[in-house]
Amino acid sequence: MRRTALLAASAALVAGALTWPADAAPTAPAAFVHPGVTVSQGQLDFTRSKVNAGAQPWKSAFDQMTASKYADLNRTPKPRAVVECGSYSNPNHGCTDEREDAIAAYTQALAWYITRDERHARKAIELMDAWSAVIRDHTDSNAPLQTGWAGSSWPRAAEIIKHTYTGTWANSGRFATMLRNVYLPEIINGSNSNGNWELSMTEAAVGISVFLEDRASYDKAMAKFRARTAAYVYLEADGALPRTVPSQNLNTREKIVRYWQGQSTFVTGLSQETCRDFTHTGYGLSAISHVAETSRIQGQDLYATDVGERLRHGLGFHARYQLGAGAEGWLCGGSLRLGLGPVSEVGHNALANRLGHAMTNTATLTRRNRPAGSNNLFVAWETLTHGDNPG
């Protein structure tokens, strides 16, 4: 019955009849679901059962994860009091260390859940405790993005450990204080830079809000997410020009075209960063899928709104070119910079498997990329956690 309702809602959206406007945001649930950041208890249980049964592609994805540097039980945390990150991580004073320790904590938490080897849970706790004892600030020009990237991985790890590990985590309160005082203030007000910045920042803010059970921050982050998603991927229903974020004052066609990397022809699925490169576009699409997945776990399914339509068309549009289609002359001057990254599993599973949309190009790219690894920034192991996962 629920699947039928969601399909009907999606069809209504395509027809322009869905009553939930693009800028309306879901509100925090009456009671937060845990673990509930990007991956749910049901998804974890499904993953564990498949790995333990030796089923593919989950077993090969698990083997890939456990062979990575992030699953190393001898990993030594490298916390810093101040993480200083300039443009393109130059200077890089703790940027890589922070992002990769956060991914490692998440990796160790997944390894704990699947294997029940307590050494992995204790390593995840060691990593989280090391940073929560030391870090005070993020500085330099990339501070908001750096905080968003690392802040997306930390709550995924913390949710699994806090709500599934049967041992003790004595410093969980200190970790929560770190997220509340060091990370959330840097990201909660969003960004007027390229769209992938604000999408990654709102992903982190949503995940942190779930862990903290902070309803006000959740609502604020979701409102920014809805506005930014609508301004990041174009749909024909938007009209002659893409939607904009009011605070950016993009009030003329000339300003919009400049912001869209010089692209003046707008077609469904095009991203604000398509003509910059597919790698940054992949960051934005991935963050959209992660927030939509968290929202679904928390009880409000954004996949059945314009968020799902923008994600579906954004993935399909870019997958076609990533698979080898040549760029037409009207698109980015006929030249594309590819490199979408391991970003399609979450959206494909939700939109194709769960909602039944035909996503031929996305499906082909997703299967070609399996098992999807990590981009070493904020995306990790999504074939394992979301590949064909009905949870």
Side-chain angles (χ1 to χ4, degrees), residues 22-27 188 198 202 206 216-230 245-246 291 302:
D23 57 355
T27 56
I188 192 61
E198 187 162 79
T202 54
V206 166
S217 294
Y218 184 94
D219 291 350
K220 184 173 182 177
M222 275 294 186
K224 287 191 173 297
F225 170 76
R226 290 306 304 272
R228 175 59 68 177
T229 299
V245 175
V291 176
L302 290 175

Side-chain angles (χ1 to χ4, degrees), residues 33 147 169 175 189 201 268 279 310 347 388:
V33 176
T147 309
W169 181 14
F175 183 82
N189 292 316
M201 292 164 68
T268 291
T279 300
R310 293 179 197 278
D388 303 331

Side-chain angles (χ1 to χ4, degrees), residues 327-358:
E328 297 84 354
W330 56 264
L331 178 62
C332 309
S335 178
L336 298 172
R337 297 177 64 190
L338 303 179
L340 196 59
V343 302
S344 63
E345 286 279 15
V346 176
H348 176 262
N349 186 54
L351 295 162
N353 296 337
R354 195 179 295 129
L355 291 183
H357 291 294

